[in-house]
Amino acid sequence: LVDYGHPHEQDIRLAGARVRPAGTDARCSPEDLEQALSLPDTLGLLLVESRLARGEMVDPVTAIALAKKHSCPVILDAAAQDFRLRELVGLGAELTLFSGQKYLSGPTAGLVIGAPDRVAAVRAQEKGIGRSMKASKEAILGTLAALAERSELDLAAWETGKLGESREFADRLNRIPGISTTLVPDPTQGPFSRIHARFDEKAIPSAKEIAGQLRNGDPAIYVFENEIDSGILIFEIMALTDSEQSAIIRRLQELCDVNPG
C-alpha cells in the first residue's frame, strides 16, 4: 500500500473492492501473505513492484506461487517497470499493469496485459470510475508507437550511454565543496544508475535545506529524499537533457555559494 500522490488503497476502493492489508508497514512475510490468502472472502491479490514500496516484502515470484496455491488471481502493478516488461509478464500474474508515460515515454495511458477474459473484465469499469480515465485514440496510438520504438532500442548501447552521463554528472557534483557522490544501481532493477550525493554533515545549508530550496525554486527541481536523514540526496537523470542537467548543477552551485566559473 503505497502513496504516489494519494493512497493506493483509494484506487482499490474506487474500483469497488475492499482492502485487506497483509503484514504491516514494516514487513510482509510469506506467512503473513498466506494467512490473508487463506481467508474465504479473499478474491484477489494486488502486488506493487515499485520503488515507493517500503519495508521487507515478499518477492513477486513467491507471492504469485502462494496465490496460485490458493487459486487466487493476481494483479501485478508494475507501473514504471516497462524495461522489465517481458520478465514481469512472464511471472504468471493474471493481469500485469504498466504505465505508458513513464520510462516508456509515451502519452498518458496504461497497458493491461493478461489472458483475454481477464483483460475483458477490466472493461466493467467503463460504466464506472474508469470512464473519466478513458485513454484517447491519440494516447492509444502513441503508446503503440512508444512500444514499437522500445522494441527497436539497442538497450546495451543505451545503457552504456546513460552510465557515461551519470558518471559525468557525478563528477560535476563532486566539484562542489561538501558533496561526494556514489553511483548506485536502480533499486527496482532498471538498466541505469542513480547518483547519491552525500552532503558533509557540517555543510550549510544541509541536504534537507537544499532539497527544499530545489523544490521551491523556479524551475522546481525534485530529488529522491528517502535517505535525506543521512545527508544524502538522490538524483536520477536518465530522462534529462544536457541543458537540464546543467541547470541542476548551476542551481546547486548557487545554493552552496559556489562560483559557477
Side-chain angles (χ1 to χ4, degrees):
L1 289 173
V2 302
D3 188 319
Y4 58 104
H6 67 267
H8 214 152
E9 181 177 2
Q10 180 175 320
D11 298 320
I12 302 167
R13 293 188 183 280
L14 279 172
R18 289 177 295 163
V19 180
R20 174 183 288 130
T24 67
D25 287 344
R27 183 172 188 266
C28 178
S29 68
E31 293 75 21
D32 294 328
L33 184 56
E34 186 149 31
Q35 180 182 13
L37 289 168
S38 64
L39 296 172
D41 58 345
T42 296
L43 301 179
L45 171 63
L46 173 64
L47 299 174
V48 180
E49 187 74 0
S50 169
R51 62 190 176 206
L52 296 173
R54 304 293 178 89
E56 184 180 342
M57 300 191 303
V58 183
D59 69 88
V61 173
T62 300
I64 291 171
L66 288 172
K68 290 188 180 301
K69 173 182 172 182
H70 292 274
S71 301
C72 186
V74 178
I75 300 171
L76 177 61
D77 182 352
Q81 300 300 311
D82 49 84
F83 278 111
R84 302 169 59 204
L85 190 148
R86 292 182 185 278
E87 170 202 344
L88 294 175
V89 170
L91 295 182
E94 275 68 22
L95 292 174
T96 309
L97 318 180
F98 298 91
S99 294
Q101 73 275 12
K102 295 194 171 86
Y103 296 124
L104 198 57
S105 302
T108 298
L111 295 166
V112 181
I113 300 173
D117 60 330
R118 300 292 187 177
V119 174
V122 176
R123 301 192 69 173
Q125 293 296 333
E126 285 186 353
K127 302 297 183 182
I129 189 67
R131 182 66 184 176
S132 63
M133 304 174 190
K134 178 183 176 184
S136 67
K137 297 183 290 294
E138 295 81 2
I140 294 170
L141 289 172
T143 301
L144 291 172
L147 284 168
E149 185 172 308
R150 172 62 61 79
S151 70
E152 298 170 359
L153 178 68
D154 183 337
L155 188 56
W158 182 91
E159 190 172 351
T160 298
K162 291 301 176 184
L163 179 58
E165 285 185 28
S166 296
R167 285 174 173 163
E168 182 179 349
F169 188 85
D171 287 343
R172 296 173 74 182
L173 285 178
N174 282 330
R175 296 182 200 132
I176 300 175
I179 298 179
S180 58
T181 63
T182 307
L183 291 188
V184 176
D186 174 58
T188 54
Q189 302 176 50
F192 51 86
S193 293
R194 295 178 179 170
I195 300 99
H196 285 218
R198 179 182 293 277
F199 287 70
D200 188 286
E201 61 182 16
K202 297 179 181 178
I204 300 174
S206 67
K208 189 170 291 188
E209 291 168 328
I210 290 283
Q213 291 172 322
L214 289 173
R215 186 170 57 249
N216 295 322
D218 184 13
I221 298 170
Y222 287 83
V223 298
F224 290 106
E225 299 184 18
N226 46 305
E227 294 193 33
I228 199 167
D229 290 338
S230 300
I232 296 173
L233 301 183
I234 303 173
F235 296 84
E236 183 184 291
I237 63 166
M238 55 157 291
L240 300 183
T241 63
D242 290 343
S243 62
E244 289 169 335
Q245 293 175 35
S246 293
I248 294 172
I249 296 294
R250 285 195 300 271
R251 182 64 176 140
L252 284 167
Q253 289 171 334
E254 292 171 3
L255 294 174
C256 294
D257 196 25
V258 174
N259 185 342

